Amino acid sequence: MTIYSCETHIGHALDMFVATEKKIPLMENISEEEKLSTKCEYCEEHATYIVANK
């Protein structure tokens, strides 16, 4: 599972990951290049973080 999130929705993304996967996720900043083309999964803002299990 991979979730892209902005600053505003990072808490929700972490909660959703734990609720779904029952594991602690890794949270990393997205590179500047990826920020330009990647949107938050909960709004239309550019994603700042990636929450994933790998």
Side-chain angles (χ1 to χ4, degrees):
M1 175 178 211
T2 301
I3 302 172
Y4 293 96
S5 174
C6 66
E7 289 278 339
T8 303
H9 294 107
I10 189 60
H12 183 67
L14 291 168
D15 289 345
M16 292 302 296
F17 186 95
V18 171
T20 304
E21 296 290 318
K22 309 284 191 248
K23 296 179 184 176
I24 297 172
L26 298 174
M27 182 179 87
E28 296 180 3
N29 286 324
I30 293 177
S31 70
E32 289 300 318
E33 291 176 359
E34 286 181 297
K35 281 184 187 179
L36 298 176
S37 63
T38 306
K39 300 283 186 190
C40 173
E41 294 189 23
Y42 304 105
C43 68
E44 291 298 313
E45 295 292 320
H46 291 289
T48 305
Y49 299 104
I50 182 170
V51 178
N53 55 358
K54 291 184 184 180

